Amino acid sequence: MARRDRLMTPTPLSDLKPVRDRLRGIGDVLDPKDAEEPILAPAVRAAVKGWLDEIRARDALAAVGLKPRSSALLSGPPGCGKTTLAHHLAARLGYPLVTVGAEHIVTSSLGGSEGNVAKLFATIESLDQPVILFIDEIDAIGSKRRDSSGDTGGAVTAMNSTLTVLLRRLEAFGGTMIAATNRADTLDPALWRRFGMQIVVDLPDEDARWAILKRYGLPYIFADEALDALAGLTENAAPSLLRQLMEGVKRRLVLGAMQGSLPASLVEAVAAVVAETQPHPDYDQPPLWARQASSSQIISNISAGQAWPPARQEA
Ligand SMILES: Nc1ncnc2c1ncn2[C@@H]1O[C@H](COP(=O)(O)OP(=O)(O)OP(=O)(O)O)[C@@H](O)[C@H]1O
Ligand SMILES: [Mg+2]
């Protein structure tokens, strides 16, 4: 098999057991075959494609003394697809994703966090098969160094030295690494500069919201006009919330049909989901939730042209 094809061939689940055993307590191993492709802004898609091309062209780049960039920092609000994108990227390369969260690294024992960082990198480097390392919530160990004078409890000193170990290990790391944060502004500048790319995975624009609503509405077919109206009313909504909205509607379609209590229209189904979900108060409220959907007219557009109950796509 050509090298390129091998890189594109997902690792079978059975091959992951030894990796999972080695990484027990150090990180979770996600199977490439479970990955989903996130719906992304064109600029992010282009950056991701460029990086994948570069990694696959490793040999051609080496011939002119270049290496593919080995790391990327994903930042952006919660629920916009950072973890989904990291998993998808790893799957496109055919590698498992080793996800490491703050809970795997940060401990209150003296020197414990530094030790965990060192152990993480040593273990990844000693694996027989390539993996992509994903450090989630990297702000938990990578926030700006602080002055440790007067640090009676030793917490600041411990955080500073954990970051120093991380910087050193990253510098020496030969593999591919992705990190994510939704607090980019708190990251240490030295850590920031270690990444070959800093990609912002932001809230979706109207076109992206439309595509996300459609995807999570499947297998039900929602009319374009209904999706237009919903996409217009969900500005500031993260994809995770859009998914929750459409899954709530689908749940009502299935259970309503079983129990003879089908919502009367798409508007009614959406209103029921909106009543039991709430975006985090720190973020701007989408009009659908803020009920400043300046008119019932817009809301009623949700049902415009929508067959009810909606047809289901053929399997
Ligand atoms: N861009 C997207 N396209 C399609 N689905 C998405 C997208 N972003 C998020 N989702 C869906 O929302 C859920 C949460 O996404 P994910 O965990 O990737 O977000 P995140 O940015 O990592 O959030 P956090 O900052 O909380 O870790 C997933 O189930 C995923 O399927
Ligand atoms: Mg995440």
Side-chain angles (χ1 to χ4, degrees):
M1 199 190 301
R3 181 184 163 80
R4 187 189 142 89
D5 293 339
R6 243 186 303 126
L7 279 176
M8 292 297 291
T9 309
T11 313
L13 182 62
S14 55
D15 291 352
L16 290 183
K17 186 164 181 322
V19 182
R20 289 210 163 102
D21 289 344
R22 293 287 309 281
L23 286 161
R24 189 141 302 138
I26 297 176
D28 300 322
V29 181
L30 303 190
D31 195 318
K33 79 172 174 36
D34 297 330
E36 286 176 22
E37 181 167 3
I39 292 169
L40 299 167
V44 175
R45 249 193 344 255
V48 168
K49 180 179 181 305
W51 195 28
L52 285 170
D53 289 347
E54 204 174 297
I55 295 174
R56 290 184 192 131
R58 190 181 293 275
D59 296 345
L61 290 172
V64 298
L66 283 177
K67 282 186 189 159
R69 285 169 293 180
S70 62
S71 59
L73 174 68
L74 309 179
S75 66
C80 289
K82 298 180 295 298
T83 302
T84 309
L85 174 57
H87 193 185
H88 169 70
L89 262 161
R92 289 287 297 272
L93 294 166
Y95 297 153
L97 184 76
V98 175
T99 82
V100 178
E103 76 279 12
H104 293 110
I105 293 183
V106 180
T107 86
S108 55
S109 67
L110 190 66
S113 305
E114 291 131 89
N116 287 342
V117 171
K119 186 171 165 197
L120 165 67
F121 281 92
T123 310
I124 298 276
E125 282 160 357
S126 71
L127 292 173
D128 297 330
Q129 72 165 93
V131 296
I132 306 283
L133 172 59
F134 177 55
I135 304 187
D136 208 355
E137 304 164 70
I138 194 157
D139 45 282
I141 49 169
S143 61
K144 289 175 194 150
R145 275 166 283 197
R146 285 191 284 149
D147 180 3
S148 59
S149 51
D151 171 30
T152 46
V156 174
T157 311
M159 281 189 71
N160 289 351
S161 47
T162 304
L163 176 58
T164 307
V165 173
L166 175 65
L167 292 174
R168 210 175 307 130
R169 300 306 300 222
L170 273 180
E171 197 78 37
F173 186 50
T176 303
M177 189 267 208
I178 303 171
T181 180
N182 36 50
R183 306 180 62 208
D185 55 320
T186 66
L187 287 195
D188 190 82
L191 175 61
W192 186 275
R193 130 181 131 65
R194 294 284 188 296
F195 292 99
M197 247 169 300
Q198 292 85 10
I199 299 175
V200 179
V201 184
D202 220 335
L203 291 169
D205 67 9
E206 191 162 346
D207 287 348
R209 292 198 298 277
W210 197 96
I212 292 166
L213 290 161
K214 185 176 171 83
R215 174 186 294 179
Y216 293 121
L218 288 173
Y220 291 100
I221 299 168
F222 291 96
D224 287 359
E225 296 83 348
L227 294 172
D228 290 344
L230 278 175
L233 288 166
T234 47
E235 191 179 0
N236 302 317
S240 54
L241 182 62
L242 300 174
R243 179 174 193 165
Q244 204 177 2
L245 175 66
M246 295 314 282
E247 290 185 346
V249 169
K250 290 196 292 187
R251 215 171 282 126
R252 281 177 168 74
L253 282 166
V254 173
L255 296 184
M258 281 168 62
Q259 299 166 352
S261 58
L262 204 64
S265 64
L266 178 57
V267 172
E268 201 178 293
V270 165
V273 182
V274 166
E276 64 183 27
T277 52
Q278 196 61 53
H280 193 282
D282 280 359
Y283 294 90
D284 290 336
Q285 301 295 293
L288 192 59
W289 277 266
R291 295 175 225 259
Q292 28 131 299
S294 52
S295 62
S296 49
Q297 176 62 41
I298 312 179
I299 300 233
S300 68
N301 280 351
I302 295 177
S303 287
Q306 178 62 56
W308 196 255
R312 265 158 82 154
Q313 204 177 54
E314 302 289 319

